[in-house]
Amino acid sequence: MNRNLKIANSMLDLIGEIPLVRLNRIGMETGTEILVKPEFLNPSGSMKDRVAIRMIEEAEKSGRLKAGSRIVESSTGNTGAAMAFVSAVKGYDFTAFVPSDVADVCRMSIMQSFGAGVASFDVDGEFAEFTGRKRCSDIEGSDTGVWWSRQFANEHAVAAHRDTTAREIIEKTDGRLDAFVASIGSGGTLLGVGQALKEYDPKIRVIAVEPASYPMFGPHRRQSIPGISGGIADQLIESGVVDDVVRLDDEAAIAMAHRLAKEEGIFCGISSGANVAASLIVASGFEPGKRIVTCLCDSRDRYFYSEAYIT
Ligand SMILES: Cc1ncc(COP(=O)(O)O)c(C=O)c1O
């Protein structure tokens, strides 16, 4: 989002260039400055707009995506919404495959509002989390007019964060930060930003946040299917950019999202709450005067109907 822009050519011009916001109440006791990046200010409401536009425009450049192509992706919400938004502006047909166990009415309505098709499917069995990716793979394999963006393995998803999110963090802090904290979905944010920050200053600590109930790092790592899983998450683990991992339970993440709204006026979702709660844990191990940066991935309104979120 170029804030000096008077007339944008389309909503795509409003992606990114999001400032950092200082927390003024939460975490004050730590003596560490916590700066949050409200990525929910992106047009479709999450940081995935950066990824969607980059993946789509790289596919256009390579000739893989042409006028009239159909795009498919497996997503529980934000990537689906972002792909639907960019597809709407560019005139592509987009279908999201959403697992029924997490098919939230709000998130599906956002995708549908941008004109996307939403195909919900039942998940069961050992490799349930890969069902959506398998669907995309099958459809792409049987129809040359279909392109699957492969958010979990697409190198341009990582590059989007390396070239935009990380650049903005370095520019907007004048390069003065001590740690970057981010939760992991595909792993794209942490890998892209982590790589760029380590290249800029290897002393900046890069901290991963993951649900205590669903660890990606360590001995209880979740299972994967070769060829469908792997991708960015595996690269992240092997990259060596992650200095530490903070595990949080859902309640701590939800409670922090509530605090952010009430104490800072920041209307963000659950993983954003997790990022800030984890930042406080990281800050407690720092001497005063340090600075932590974290992202607020999406907005809270998309969780209104998730029962667990309403307390
Ligand atoms: C709400 C939310 N938070 C965090 C993440 C993690 O982002 P990444 O995929 O870059 O690891 C995602 C990814 O989908 C997300 O939707």
Side-chain angles (χ1 to χ4, degrees):
M1 185 187 323
N2 178 351
R3 292 197 172 245
N4 296 321
L5 202 64
K6 286 194 174 167
I7 300 176
N9 282 326
S10 79
M11 288 302 286
L12 300 180
D13 288 348
L14 303 189
I15 298 173
E17 292 303 337
I18 293 173
L20 293 157
V21 178
R22 182 175 293 115
L23 295 187
N24 293 298
R25 293 199 174 89
I26 294 172
M28 287 305 277
E29 68 286 358
T30 64
T32 295
E33 186 180 28
I34 298 176
L35 302 179
V36 298
K37 203 161 188 306
E39 288 287 313
F40 54 78
L41 296 178
N42 279 301
S44 86
S46 86
M47 80 259 191
K48 291 289 182 181
D49 285 358
R50 297 174 185 272
V51 169
I53 191 167
R54 181 71 172 255
M55 294 195 301
I56 286 176
E57 293 194 339
E58 292 292 342
E60 287 172 335
K61 275 190 229 160
S62 73
R64 181 65 189 82
L65 188 58
K66 300 183 189 71
S69 297
R70 178 177 165 217
I71 306 173
V72 295
E73 186 52 277
S74 166
S75 168
T76 57
N78 285 330
T79 302
M83 293 295 287
F85 152 61
V86 177
S87 297
V89 179
K90 286 180 172 277
Y92 293 113
D93 186 19
F94 171 67
T95 304
F97 289 88
V98 186
S100 58
D101 58 336
V102 288
D104 172 82
V105 66
C106 261
R107 279 167 269 163
M108 293 208 293
S109 301
I110 294 169
M111 296 184 229
Q112 284 165 332
S113 302
F114 285 120
V118 177
S120 156
F121 57 85
D122 288 336
V123 288
D124 54 46
E126 200 183 359
F127 297 120
E129 70 178 281
F130 303 106
T131 314
R133 283 177 249 183
K134 181 83 175 73
R135 292 275 166 99
C136 292
S137 170
D138 290 347
I139 291 172
E140 188 188 50
S142 63
D143 183 345
T144 52
V146 170
W147 174 64
W148 171 29
S149 46
R150 290 177 174 74
Q151 63 154 328
F152 292 95
N154 192 320
E155 59 178 313
H156 302 299
V158 181
H161 286 296
R162 203 166 43 229
D163 297 345
T164 72
T165 320
R167 174 186 51 73
E168 290 169 30
I169 290 171
I170 294 169
E171 276 173 16
K172 291 172 197 302
T173 58
D174 293 321
R176 197 182 81 64
L177 69 156
D178 300 287
F180 175 71
V181 174
S183 46
I184 313 159
S186 68
T189 309
L190 199 61
L191 183 58
V193 176
Q195 283 174 336
L197 292 181
K198 287 288 185 193
E199 200 180 298
Y200 176 77
D201 178 357
K203 290 196 295 302
I204 298 172
R205 292 184 64 73
V206 173
I207 319 284
V209 185
E210 60 178 18
S213 55
Y214 199 59
M216 175 184 279
F217 290 87
H220 305 298
R221 209 178 151 214
R222 58 199 195 220
Q223 290 175 301
S224 60
I225 299 177
I228 298 182
S229 58
I232 298 172
D234 281 356
Q235 281 177 50
L236 176 64
I237 291 165
E238 283 154 23
S239 67
V241 301
V242 178
D243 293 300
D244 214 344
V245 181
V246 175
R247 293 206 175 91
L248 276 182
D249 53 36
D250 296 357
E251 289 70 26
I254 292 166
M256 184 55 77
H258 287 193
R259 279 191 68 191
L260 283 159
K262 288 179 182 141
E263 297 177 41
E264 305 278 353
I266 296 176
F267 198 59
C268 61
I270 303 172
S271 68
S272 309
N275 284 351
V276 174
S279 296
L280 260 60
I281 293 170
V282 174
S284 66
F286 279 168
E287 69 267 26
K290 300 277 188 196
R291 177 185 269 176
I292 296 175
V293 172
T294 193
C295 288
L296 305 179
C297 313
D298 65 359
S299 61
R300 183 163 149 192
D301 42 14
R302 55 196 66 199
Y303 300 96
F304 271 171
Y305 298 107
S306 316
E307 220 171 293
Y309 196 54
I310 299 167
T311 57

